[in-house]
Amino acid sequence: MQVAVITGAGSGIGRAVAVELAGRGWSLVLAGRRQDALEETARLAGGGLPVPTDVADPASVAALFAAAKDEYGRVDLLFNNAGTNTPAVPFETLPPEDLATVIATNLTGPIFCAQAAVAMMKAQDPQGGRIINNGSVSAYGPRPHSLAYTASKHGITGLTKSLILDCRDFGIAVSQIDIGNAATARTDRMSQGVPQANGTTAIESRMDVGLLARQVADLAVMPLEVMVPFLTIMPRTMPLYGRG
């Protein structure tokens, strides 16, 4: 039995990854803010343990991993996927509370989850596991007026590099997947046109979220002796290169 903890599992990328992993025989621990959304993911995946979680709250994260241990006895994969964003505004007008929310959810939360996962993976027998961080292509190529999100995703790259270093002696493999426009509700606006780095507005292509889910699952099943530190997946015609 292999056990995956998926944050942001109530919708979008997290839900797609949960369904894909379940199809490959994984047991699931589904984390997110809304119980009803997690239960829907569990239904679509054919099973899974829904655990309502606020990743920005260390006590909530501790309860998540305690539930995983109580139910399954171990964790083999953390997909660090929970995230949020703010409206696109000039950075000098970004409300402090919006900045704090994005950093807490997109960066501090994944750090809390990684801490809990690493502690559990070090202690379990057999030792080890895998962490996959959802970095986003904004980890190296910002969109206009995206200060909070871009800074948080650059921080995820720092988290990934630190985990690679600090976990290498404990059988824990770490990857970051930098995702372009996956076709989820969050990217519906891409089909209406979004601001570009050159000041224009343009419609952007999106990719089937199922393709992305399969890529995450392929990373998850690699032997722990091997890891892919960074991987980018995006639509071929997405205008990433040239914006940063």
Side-chain angles (χ1 to χ4, degrees):
M1 178 181 66
Q2 289 186 298
V3 180
V5 173
I6 302 171
T7 67
S11 63
I13 292 170
R15 174 173 285 176
V17 169
V19 170
E20 180 67 25
L21 287 173
R24 301 193 190 197
W26 286 70
S27 297
L28 306 176
V29 181
L30 305 171
R33 291 181 178 273
R34 297 188 295 119
Q35 177 79 29
D36 59 339
L38 297 176
E39 289 176 352
E40 176 64 10
T41 298
R43 186 189 69 78
L44 292 170
L49 176 66
V51 184
T53 306
D54 177 1
V55 297
D57 178 359
S60 185
V61 171
L64 167 65
F65 282 85
K69 185 173 183 180
D70 289 345
E71 183 74 14
Y72 297 115
R74 63 181 292 110
V75 168
D76 298 286
L77 170 68
L78 166 63
F79 182 40
N80 237 341
N81 170 67
T84 190
N85 204 349
T86 63
V89 297
F91 80 91
E92 70 273 18
T93 68
L94 179 66
E97 58 272 21
D98 288 357
L99 173 62
T101 295
V102 171
I103 297 300
T105 303
N106 293 11
L107 180 55
T108 311
I111 291 172
F112 290 153
C113 290
Q115 285 180 310
V118 168
M120 195 164 167
M121 290 172 179
K122 282 184 176 182
Q124 62 197 16
D125 185 19
Q127 187 183 66
R130 189 175 300 273
I131 296 171
I132 301 175
N133 294 322
N134 183 345
S136 169
V137 294
S138 291
Y140 51 88
R143 289 186 177 278
H145 305 314
S146 65
L147 170 69
Y149 188 81
T150 298
S152 72
K153 293 304 184 177
H154 276 65
I156 289 294
T157 298
L159 170 63
T160 299
K161 291 179 177 179
S162 291
L163 287 172
I164 289 170
L165 174 62
D166 293 341
C167 294
R168 63 172 48 148
D169 293 333
F170 301 98
I172 301 170
V174 184
S175 297
Q176 178 170 317
I177 185 164
D178 293 322
I179 299 166
N181 296 339
T184 67
R186 182 172 289 181
T187 62
D188 282 346
R189 62 192 177 92
M190 303 296 175
S191 61
Q192 305 301 316
V194 292
Q196 302 295 306
N198 63 1
T200 64
T201 297
I203 293 171
E204 293 190 13
S205 55
R206 300 190 297 165
M207 62 185 169
D208 180 0
V209 72
L211 296 173
L212 166 62
R214 290 197 289 275
Q215 185 64 75
V216 173
D218 286 346
L219 288 175
V221 299
M222 295 181 72
L224 292 178
E225 291 74 21
V226 177
M227 69 177 181
V228 177
F230 293 91
L231 182 150
T232 300
I233 181 169
M234 55 183 276
R236 179 180 54 80
T237 59
M238 181 181 172
L240 170 66
Y241 292 94
R243 85 178 194 203

